[in-house]
Amino acid sequence: LCMCGSAVRQDGRSASLTAPNGTAQRALLVAALADGGMAASSLAYNEAHGTGTALGDPIEAGSLVAAVLSAREDALAVGGVKANIGHAEPAAGMTGLLKLAVGLRMGEAAPNAQLRLLNPHVGDTLGGVAGALPVQLAAVTNGGGGVSSFGYSGTIAHAVRQHSGGD
C-alpha cells in the first residue's frame, strides 16, 4: 500500500459550528484525488467520516456523490469505522485510515456494524449512483481507496491510497 495523495483545508462558512460545508468537502475530495494522480474510477473503497447524524451524513454523502460516485460505473464500497468502534474523537481519522489499509490489503470492505436502516436522507442522496454500504464482508477490487476526517474545529482532511496488489 502506498499513500498517494491527500488534502487538508478549513471547512469554511456553514450554518453552524457543527454543520458541515458540502462544497468544501467536495473540493477536498477532488483535491486529494488530484494530489494522488488518481481518478475517481480507480477507487474501490471509501471510509466515510459518518457519525450517524441527520445533518452531516447526507452532506458527506452528497459530496461523495458529486466528487466520486457520479464519475463511476462500478459500485464503491462505503464504510464508516465509527459504526464498528464508536467515535474515537481525534483518533477517528487514523482509525479509519487503518481500517481502509487493512481492507485494501485483504481485498475486503468490513461491514457497517449495526446498519439495519439507512438514514432516508442518505438513501435519497445516494439514489441512482454506484455506491454500496456493506452489511457483511464485501469483496473490493484491486484498486485504491480514500478516507475522510472532518474535525469539530472545521479542519477537514481526505487521504487516498493505492493498493499495488503485491503485499
Side-chain angles (χ1 to χ4, degrees):
L1 292 170
C2 72
M3 181 64 68
C4 293
S6 63
V8 177
R9 60 181 53 199
Q10 171 50 255
D11 196 33
R13 187 178 196 130
S14 62
S16 71
L17 181 62
T18 59
N21 179 327
T23 302
Q25 288 181 7
R26 189 168 40 255
L28 177 81
L29 297 171
V30 170
L33 286 166
D35 184 56
M38 295 174 66
S41 60
S42 69
L43 299 181
Y45 182 24
N46 191 78
E47 266 298 305
H49 177 80
T51 57
T53 65
L55 176 64
D57 285 5
I59 291 173
E60 181 178 7
S63 299
L64 193 59
V65 166
V68 178
L69 293 173
S70 61
R72 302 179 54 81
E73 291 182 20
D74 297 333
L76 175 74
V78 179
V81 72
K82 292 175 188 81
N84 299 83
I85 65 165
H87 199 307
E89 296 298 330
M94 184 54 71
T95 306
L97 186 61
L98 291 171
K99 182 180 172 210
L100 174 71
V102 169
L104 291 175
R105 185 160 192 239
M106 301 302 290
E108 296 177 322
N112 290 290
Q114 311 305 318
L115 179 61
R116 302 291 181 265
L117 182 63
L118 185 61
N119 175 337
H121 300 296
V122 171
D124 291 345
T125 302
L126 293 175
V129 296
L133 298 158
V135 292
Q136 59 189 15
L137 278 177
V140 293
T141 60
N142 189 20
V147 62
S148 294
S149 182
F150 306 137
Y152 180 75
S153 66
T155 302
I156 58 177
H158 188 78
V160 290
R161 301 182 64 111
Q162 183 67 43
H163 186 345
S164 63
D167 58 358

